[in-house]
Amino acid sequence: MPETRRASIWRERLRRYQPKIAHSRGLVLEGRLTRMVGLTLEAIGCRAAVGARCDVVNANGSRIGAEVVGFSGESLYLMPTGAIHGLEPDARVIPTGRVSEAAVGDDLLGRVIDGAGQPLDARGPLHHSHYRSLTGRPINPLAREPIRQPLDVGVRAINGLLSVGRGQRLGLFAGSGVGKSVLLGMMTKYTEADIVVVGLIGERGREVKDFIENTLGEAGMRRAVVVAVPADQPPLKRLHGAMLTTSIAEHFRDQGKQVLLLMDSLTRFAQAQREIGLAINEPPATKGYPPSVFAKLPQLIERAGNGRAGGGSITAFYTVLAEGDDQNDPIADAARAILDGHVVLSRQIAESGQYPAIDIEASISRAMNDITTPEHQQQARAFKKLYSTYQRNRDLISVGAYQPGSDARIDDAIQAMPSLLDYLQQDQATRHDYAHSVDALARVFGDPSEQAEATPT
């Protein structure tokens, strides 16, 4: 065999096996960046586990953080966590030996941070005393405290007809511009909780400051932590933002606190995972979403809820964008199966001027029967029955084709409809507590002469 051919073979063997030898001896061997397609970086010459952090070092010494998201043969696939401007071919790839962690602690209260846990509010550095896994630690389902206590969210239609329990996970489903963020803001201000953790994931950047100043306000920020990762951030950072939000909520729950977790939106989390999956050649399954998306959703959502018996809880509200107002959108359909209930907002109801535009017929709280009295449940069923009867016969009633007296159920629905619509509507600046909401629901079916409007708080 010619000498040049033999040398070439030995160089190739050295390139392939040197990382394995170094890894077995506990050594960190740097690799080289060989290819970049879209946001995916491909490196050879080093070994690292999926989820491990790496530094990509340019010739000028600048460093870009990246995370291993997959591998094929001797190649590692990495996804950057920051801007990739100035990245050069053959850049050094150095495994750090670390994985992404969530820095948590009481110093986070009142602060606004990004997906990497760095402050955005120009109030100085954060001093953390605790770190926990970004992916969380699963709780034995048999050790979880059952949902037994109702939670006052300050919205009359939800308190009365879709009662929420402490530790429940609820989705707000709607198309764009129907009022998801407004309803989420109302519940942020009015829900009783020790700590509020807000994740603004993949949404418009201008909404961050508006949410902090107009929704939370100065008083609300004292007990809140805001994680903001706008839409212009890399997909991995958006993914980490949602995980970081949940990790912070878990930290306070483990301290015995009652935590309110708000994430806007779950759809952007799924889209970020879709971008990552497609970038590493994962086959698309449903509407362009690869299988990893549907595996990540329950892993994130199941981390919320009640903790161990006698401990704290995480009551979570996730907004879900139904693309094109399609409630059978793959992400909406998958989220509906995982969550403990869903509140559907209707564009048609919003266009009629009714706010919040909650579609009572399409919404449900799976924990309601466990946290409410039989009388309350009976009144809620009667309300929905009258409302549904009117909606099914709306066209006949509107054109005058229905003759009064033809059907007693329709007659009752027509007579009750003004009271039903009045109950469902609520001004954004007005809070209706749980007791008032239940009393107002009872008055809908009472003697009209005895109905007196209670003063909302």
Side-chain angles (χ1 to χ4, degrees), residues 110-128:
R111 302 300 299 269
V112 183
I113 59 177
D114 65 10
Q118 299 301 314
L120 294 173
D121 51 12
R123 291 178 52 192
L126 292 164
H127 304 285
H128 300 291

Side-chain angles (χ1 to χ4, degrees), residues 415-416 419 442-453:
Q415 183 179 0
S419 298
R443 286 195 302 274
V444 169
F445 303 99
D447 186 348
S449 63
E450 296 178 0
Q451 292 183 17
E453 181 64 30

Side-chain angles (χ1 to χ4, degrees), residues 161 379-387 420 423-424 441 445:
L161 304 173
Q379 291 160 1
R381 285 194 296 268
F383 186 106
K384 293 181 180 180
K385 184 177 180 180
L386 286 173
Y387 185 86
L420 304 185
Y423 184 85
L424 292 174
L441 180 62
F445 303 99

Side-chain angles (χ1 to χ4, degrees), residues 81 93 96 131 166 203 244 252 289 318 354-355 357 365-366 402 406 417 429 433 436:
T81 57
V93 178
T96 65
Y131 289 86
R166 195 176 294 279
E203 296 297 328
L244 175 61
F252 288 110
Y289 288 98
Y318 301 92
Q354 176 184 317
Y355 289 97
S365 171
R366 293 192 174 102
Y402 175 73
S406 302
M417 199 60 186
D433 62 28
H436 168 266

